[in-house]
Amino acid sequence: MKQIKELYGEIFNIQRYSTHDGPGIRTTVFLKGCPLKCFWCQNPESQSIRPELLYSKKLCIGCGKCIDACPQKALSRDRVYIEMNRELCSRCGNCVRSCPQKARTLAGRSITVDALMKEVLKDVYTYENSGGGVTLSGGDPVFQHEFALAVLKRSHEELLHTAIETAGYVRWDVLRGLAEESDYIFFDMKCMDSQKHKAGTGVPNELILENAARIVKMGKDIHFRMPLIPGFNDDEKSITALKQYVEDVLELPVKQHVELLKYNKLAEDKFGQLDRLDEQKSMETQSDEKFEYLKSLLYD
Ligand code: SF4
Ligand code: SF4
C-alpha cells in the first residue's frame, strides 16, 4: 500500500487565549519563515525557517550549566556572560533544558498537522463560548503555505473559525488558496511608497497592493493593520496615502477596516538575544498625542 507522507511545519509558539488576533478568544499558532525582512521586526526569531537560539543576558546568572550541557562545545564563558559559536550549534536544545533561569530559548520546532490540531483542539470549548477560533501568524503563514493550508482546512473540518495574519507578499494563486480557507484576514500594510517599502522590508509593495485588492474582491472579512515605525511611516504623507488607497481604490470605510499600531519597543532586545546586534535599533514609541494625531488623519 502506498504510504502518504505526513506534512510537517516549523512553528515557534502556540499562544492560547489570544484576544487580539481575531474575533473572540483564540489560539494563535506562530509559523517560522517570512518573505520580508522588516528592520523593526517584532519577532526576528521568526524570519528564518530554521530553529534559532535566543539568549537573555538579563536573565542569566552565569552558573555555567549550559556550557556543561552542550555536546558541541559551542558555549564558552565571556566574563559573566556566555558566548556562543552559532556555527557549531546543532540546535539540540540541551542548554535550554539545563538552564535554571530560562535564559535560553530555542525558537522553532517541527510538528505534523495532526499533532498541531491536537494542540489546537485542547481549547475547543473556549472557542465555542467566545466565537473565537484559530489564527495562523508568524513570520508569515505564506512562507509555509502548504502546511498553513492543511491546518486551515483541518480547522474548518473541525468547524473552527479561522484567521491568518499576512503581509501578502506571495503569488496570487497561493494567497487565494489560503484566503479561501480563512474566515478573517489581517493584512499588514507597512508603507504605500514602493521604494520606501523596499528599503524598510526588503521587497517592493506592488504585488502586496494587488493581492490586497484581490482579497477585497473575494468579499473576505479583511482588516488592515499598519505598525507605526518611528521615522519610517508615522507621518502625515504615509497615513494620508493609506487612507486614499483604502477609501478610493479598495472602496472600504477606514473606520471598520484599518487599524494603526503604536511602535512596540519590547522586541528590540530580541536582536541582541540572537547575536544580531548590528540590526538592533533604538526607537521611541509614539507619544499619546502623536498617536491621536495620526489616527485623526486616518479617521476624521
Ligand atoms: S542548542 Fe545544543 S548545540 Fe546549540 S548551544 Fe545549546 S546545547 Fe549547544
Ligand atoms: S545555564 Fe542559564 S543561567 Fe546558567 S549560565 Fe547558562 S544561560 Fe546563564
Side-chain angles (χ1 to χ4, degrees):
M1 202 172 81
K2 197 179 163 195
Q3 280 228 316
I4 298 169
K5 223 175 132 209
E6 270 199 286
L7 190 55
Y8 277 84
E10 304 296 319
I11 65 167
F12 68 101
N13 195 11
I14 298 176
Q15 192 173 298
R16 301 178 192 284
Y17 304 103
S18 303
T19 52
H20 300 289
D21 295 324
I25 301 172
R26 315 184 67 82
T27 288
T28 304
V29 181
F30 292 85
L31 276 69
K32 290 272 284 171
C34 185
L36 274 60
K37 207 163 183 237
C38 306
F39 70 81
W40 63 85
C41 184
Q42 299 290 292
N43 293 318
E45 74 275 31
S46 74
Q47 289 176 337
S48 163
I49 189 85
R50 301 180 72 195
E52 297 216 66
L53 220 135
L54 292 101
Y55 164 55
S56 166
K57 287 183 177 172
K58 280 184 198 150
L59 295 176
C60 177
I61 52 169
C63 68
K65 287 188 176 159
C66 53
I67 300 176
D68 299 339
C70 178
Q72 298 296 115
K73 307 248 176 292
L75 302 175
S76 57
R77 195 179 289 281
D78 169 29
R79 284 175 291 174
V80 267
Y81 296 120
I82 306 301
E83 242 182 25
M84 179 176 167
N85 183 333
R86 288 185 182 264
E87 281 178 16
L88 291 180
C89 174
S90 63
R91 299 167 168 87
C92 68
N94 281 3
C95 59
V96 176
R97 289 184 285 276
S98 71
C99 176
Q101 291 298 107
K102 298 196 185 330
R104 311 186 75 85
T105 317
L106 191 60
R109 65 181 165 111
S110 299
I111 193 164
T112 62
V113 177
D114 276 350
L116 179 56
M117 287 312 297
K118 247 185 219 164
E119 290 279 314
V120 166
L121 288 169
K122 281 180 191 166
D123 296 329
V124 72
Y125 298 115
T126 318
Y127 305 155
E128 276 183 352
N129 295 335
S130 74
V134 61
T135 299
L136 299 189
S137 183
D140 192 318
V142 302
F143 202 85
Q144 298 187 64
H145 54 87
E146 285 180 15
F147 179 73
L149 186 59
V151 175
L152 292 169
K153 281 186 172 165
R154 282 287 302 281
S155 300
H156 269 163
E157 281 165 22
E158 300 288 348
L159 304 180
L160 298 180
H161 181 278
T162 61
I164 55 167
E165 296 181 348
T166 181
Y169 189 74
V170 70
R171 283 193 339 248
W172 171 239
D173 60 313
V174 169
L175 190 59
R176 186 184 57 210
L178 294 174
E180 279 167 354
E181 291 293 338
S182 301
D183 302 311
Y184 197 88
I185 297 169
F186 286 103
F187 202 103
D188 267 10
M189 285 288 187
K190 324 279 189 185
C191 178
M192 299 307 294
D193 179 295
S194 189
Q195 272 187 355
K196 210 168 152 189
H197 193 283
K198 188 164 185 196
T201 70
V203 303
N205 72 2
E206 285 83 0
L207 177 64
I208 291 171
L209 299 183
E210 279 166 25
N211 282 343
R214 288 162 168 156
I215 290 180
V216 171
K217 226 173 174 181
M218 285 172 81
K220 283 284 162 186
D221 207 350
I222 191 165
H223 184 83
F224 294 99
R225 292 194 291 201
M226 182 180 268
L228 294 170
I229 311 306
F232 177 70
N233 64 3
D234 61 347
D235 53 71
E236 195 175 327
K237 199 173 162 198
S238 299
I239 306 300
T240 311
L242 173 67
K243 183 182 170 84
Q244 275 172 357
Y245 173 73
V246 174
E247 283 185 342
D248 301 345
V249 180
L250 302 180
E251 297 180 349
L252 292 175
V254 282
K255 271 198 179 127
Q256 284 93 324
H257 290 275
V258 187
E259 185 185 3
L260 299 179
L261 304 173
K262 259 188 176 184
Y263 177 66
N264 178 1
K265 266 186 88 64
L266 291 177
E268 287 179 356
D269 183 46
K270 284 192 185 173
F271 283 99
Q273 292 190 34
L274 290 161
D275 291 332
R276 287 164 58 183
L277 267 175
D278 51 324
E279 296 171 56
Q280 188 167 331
K281 300 270 181 299
S282 182
M283 298 185 283
E284 285 312 312
T285 306
Q286 293 82 18
S287 64
D288 288 345
E289 292 74 28
K290 178 158 187 180
F291 188 51
E292 288 308 316
Y293 168 65
L294 295 173
K295 282 201 291 185
S296 74
L297 292 174
L298 185 64
Y299 299 130
D300 292 350

